[in-house]
Amino acid sequence: MKKNEYLVVIPYLARAAQGKELDYAIAGWRRHFKEQFHIVVIGEGLPSITGGDVDFIDSPRVPESAGNYRQHLDYVNCFKRVHELYPETEGFIFVADDCYAVNDFDISDVKFIKMLAPDFNCEADTPNMWKQDKLKTKRVLTVGGWPTRNFTTHLPIWFEWDKIEDLWEAYGMAHNSFVIEDLYFNIYYPKRVPFQLNQATDNLKMGVYTTRPDVSEIRRAFKEKIWITNSPDGWVPALYQELEEYYNKP
């Protein structure tokens, strides 16, 4: 990695990956990020994608832990490993493997603070570990007197190493899972007024989260949005056909 490059970190788990999501995600950074950067893909069951701008780091999953969301524990484990390998960096961009840039952007588009909503509601009795982690995180924020804004935007996020490592230490996040971005932005930026995402009006994100999306909206996003994202349900032929055509055209 060269000096002054931004570190882009993509956690990866082969058994949860769908189709060519990672290929498209990397292609989006290569085509549209107007900064110097270096990509790190870290996780279990790594693929092989050529290019000197990508490092692949094997990181086996952490063990299951009762009452914790394993993916969030994996994130902390992976990020710690990345910092050990790239100690000279000030911070890093965290992004999922199902987030695809389709128009140009720079670091300012990543760093400015965005939220989904000014609050998030959680079910007290749910078997869904993601929702349980949201509830745990909200409880910690409430007890601490912090805001409870929803920062799980599914977009690239800039984390500073010193801040995020202090959170890991303070909340024992190597063994206790929380929603990292919700803790980070509510605690460190409690008085900021974040930009609230609105798919109908903003230029940032088109989320494909259903099995029957509006194809016209997907096509429009290639002209009007910076990123397209999807959930497991949203990985449908209508989306990957559009992505395949887009990233393979000259």
Side-chain angles (χ1 to χ4, degrees), residues 120-184:
F120 55 93
N121 296 316
C122 309
E123 302 172 34
D125 183 18
T126 175
N128 184 296
M129 290 305 299
W130 160 254
K131 293 180 180 179
Q132 286 186 31
D133 253 25
K134 291 290 281 189
L135 179 59
K136 287 169 58 180
T137 302
K138 185 166 186 175
R139 285 171 173 166
V140 164
L141 291 169
T142 301
V143 169
W146 307 108
T148 57
R149 298 164 298 183
N150 189 346
F151 287 103
T152 52
T153 61
H154 205 168
L155 291 177
I157 295 171
W158 170 256
F159 287 134
E160 295 178 37
W161 284 120
D162 58 348
K163 286 184 172 67
I164 199 168
E165 288 178 332
D166 284 348
L167 279 183
W168 296 340
E169 183 69 22
Y171 294 99
M173 292 173 70
H175 306 287
N176 298 291
S177 65
F178 295 99
V179 183
I180 298 173
E181 56 267 43
D182 286 340
L183 286 185
Y184 186 95

Side-chain angles (χ1 to χ4, degrees), residues 97-250:
D97 64 355
D98 48 14
C99 179
Y100 324 105
V102 294
N103 280 291
D104 291 352
F105 67 103
D106 60 28
I107 193 62
S108 64
D109 296 298
V110 175
K111 283 188 174 182
F112 89 88
I113 303 175
K114 317 161 194 69
M115 68 179 180
L116 277 185
D119 197 7
F120 55 93
N121 296 316
C122 309
E123 302 172 34
D125 183 18
T126 175
N128 184 296
M129 290 305 299
W130 160 254
K131 293 180 180 179
Q132 286 186 31
D133 253 25
K134 291 290 281 189
L135 179 59
K136 287 169 58 180
T137 302
K138 185 166 186 175
R139 285 171 173 166
V140 164
L141 291 169
T142 301
V143 169
W146 307 108
T148 57
R149 298 164 298 183
N150 189 346
F151 287 103
T152 52
T153 61
H154 205 168
L155 291 177
I157 295 171
W158 170 256
F159 287 134
E160 295 178 37
W161 284 120
D162 58 348
K163 286 184 172 67
I164 199 168
E165 288 178 332
D166 284 348
L167 279 183
W168 296 340
E169 183 69 22
Y171 294 99
M173 292 173 70
H175 306 287
N176 298 291
S177 65
F178 295 99
V179 183
I180 298 173
E181 56 267 43
D182 286 340
L183 286 185
Y184 186 95
F185 290 105
N186 280 304
I187 289 174
Y188 288 122
Y189 303 97
K191 295 186 178 180
R192 289 285 185 91
V193 180
F195 178 84
Q196 184 169 343
L197 296 180
N198 183 327
Q199 183 155 295
T201 58
D202 70 47
N203 70 324
L204 296 171
K205 187 182 85 168
M206 163 67 182
V208 183
Y209 299 139
T210 70
T211 57
R212 305 180 85 176
D214 184 333
V215 179
S216 67
E217 287 297 300
I218 295 174
R219 290 173 178 161
R220 186 167 65 89
F222 283 92
K223 298 178 180 179
E224 298 182 4
K225 304 289 185 177
I226 296 177
W227 292 281
I228 296 175
T229 69
N230 67 272
S231 66
D233 284 345
W235 184 249
V236 294
L239 174 61
Y240 64 68
Q241 287 169 8
E242 294 294 330
L243 291 169
E244 181 72 9
E245 180 179 345
Y246 178 77
Y247 287 120
N248 284 288
K249 70 183 180 183

